[in-house]
Structures are given as structure tokens and as C-alpha cells.
Amino acid sequence: MASQRKQPKPGKPKGKARTVYVLNGPNLNMLGLRQPEIYGRETLADVEALCRAAGDRLGLDIDFRQSNIEGELVGWIHEARTAAVGIVINAGAYTHTSVALLDALNAAEKPVVEVHLSNVYRRESFRHHSYISQAARGVICGFGPKGYVLALEALAEIV
Ligand code: DHK
């Protein structure tokens, strides 16, 4: 599936008051199967459950999405400008290639925290550069799914 998007819970109005977009880029739908020695055995659904639990604790509504398509991620970032108070993003490989995501994140004018499951600095040199870090308040990498929780905790203090 190219993209996964959860519907809001029935009866729970979707307001932007404390909504955080948690955006995941290409191949993150393969978590749990994909190079588990690097990315671990937890699935994206496990990461989402962690984010939702953290959101409940922090008073944040989590809008959790994944896409393998760069333009879809750009569209969601545009949407976040009016629908969210902040963005957590693991842009996957687009981190290292996408000026379009950088421009979209700058245009969103929301606090952004960049997350990577793996410690990209212990890996290939092409993973050492991130285009999107320029738009981020902070970057968390190397702590696996817990990095998403740390990012949400940081955002909860900012917003
Ligand atoms: C995920 C990816 O898919 C890679 O392309 C990045 C990142 C690292 C991660 O560690 O979560 O280089």
C-alpha cells in the first residue's frame, strides 16, 4: 500500500488545538521486516501505538501517517500548517534527497522534530546529510521507536 492514513476516532472531534502530525516516509511501512538488525523488529503499527500512548499522556492528538510518495508527504505538510500545532517527521530516505520536503516544512511555519530510528551517523556517509534538519527545532536519532516519544515530549513543551 502506498499510503496509510488513520481516520479520526468516531465521536472525537478533530481539532487543531493539540494535534501533532507524525509523518513517516518511504519504506517505513516495512518496519519489522526490513533490515531488523538496523531498524528493529517493531512494526510501524507498534510505533503508532507508542505515539498514541505518549499523546494521551502529553495531551496531544496524534495524526499518524506514512507514505512512499514524496508529493503526498509535501501535501500533508501543507495541511499541517492549518491542521496541526507541530510535526514529527521521519522522512526516511527523502531526508537525504528532498529539497521539496525542506521547503514544505519551512512553509508550514510549525515546530518540527526530525526523527530517525537508526543512528544515521554510524551508517553510510550519504546518510550523514539531512536536507530537512534546517527546518527542524531538533533531531533525534539512534533510539529506535523511543525517538518518536522523545520527539513528542519535546514538542509538547514547545507548543
Ligand atoms: C529511515 C530510512 O528509511 C533511511 O533511509 C534513513 C531512517 C534512516 C531511520 O533510521 O529511521 O537513512
Side-chain angles (χ1 to χ4, degrees), residues 63-86:
D63 196 323
F64 191 97
R65 306 181 189 187
Q66 187 274 334
S67 178
N68 295 321
I69 302 167
E70 187 176 17
E72 190 162 34
L73 292 161
V74 167
W76 288 344
I77 294 166
H78 293 170
E79 195 183 298
R81 187 182 157 92
T82 52
V85 294

Side-chain angles (χ1 to χ4, degrees), residues 3 17 55 81 129 135:
S3 65
R81 187 182 157 92
H129 177 258

Side-chain angles (χ1 to χ4, degrees), residues 26-28 34 39 90 92-93 95-96 115-120 123 127:
N27 300 306
L28 290 165
R34 169 196 187 205
Y39 296 107
N90 182 350
T95 303
H96 318 297
V115 174
H116 303 286
L117 294 154
S118 64
N119 180 352
V120 287
R123 301 182 63 194
R127 295 185 203 275

Side-chain angles (χ1 to χ4, degrees), residues 2-117:
S3 65
Q4 297 167 0
R5 186 174 167 182
K6 283 272 155 74
Q7 295 301 313
K9 285 180 191 159
K12 190 171 182 190
K14 189 151 177 49
K16 74 169 174 185
R18 296 276 285 176
T19 299
V20 171
Y21 275 24
V22 181
L23 302 180
N24 296 276
N27 300 306
L28 290 165
N29 55 316
M30 300 297 287
L31 272 187
L33 299 172
R34 169 196 187 205
Q35 295 181 282
E37 68 286 2
I38 294 174
Y39 296 107
R41 298 256 172 221
E42 285 168 292
T43 65
L44 194 63
D46 296 329
V47 175
E48 179 174 358
L50 268 183
C51 289
R52 293 199 181 284
D56 286 347
R57 180 166 54 81
L58 297 165
L60 300 172
D61 284 332
I62 304 300
D63 196 323
F64 191 97
R65 306 181 189 187
Q66 187 274 334
S67 178
N68 295 321
I69 302 167
E70 187 176 17
E72 190 162 34
L73 292 161
V74 167
W76 288 344
I77 294 166
H78 293 170
E79 195 183 298
R81 187 182 157 92
T82 52
V85 294
I87 300 169
V88 171
I89 184 164
N90 182 350
Y94 292 143
T95 303
H96 318 297
T97 63
S98 181
V99 176
L101 286 184
L102 171 63
D103 287 350
L105 289 167
N106 279 327
E109 296 180 341
K110 297 289 170 183
V112 173
V113 182
E114 177 183 347
V115 174
H116 303 286
L117 294 154

Side-chain angles (χ1 to χ4, degrees), residues 95-96 114 116 121 126-134 139:
T95 303
H96 318 297
E114 177 183 347
H116 303 286
Y121 299 102
F126 66 82
R127 295 185 203 275
H128 298 178
H129 177 258
S130 164
Y131 278 98
I132 67 171
S133 293
Q134 272 196 17
V139 182

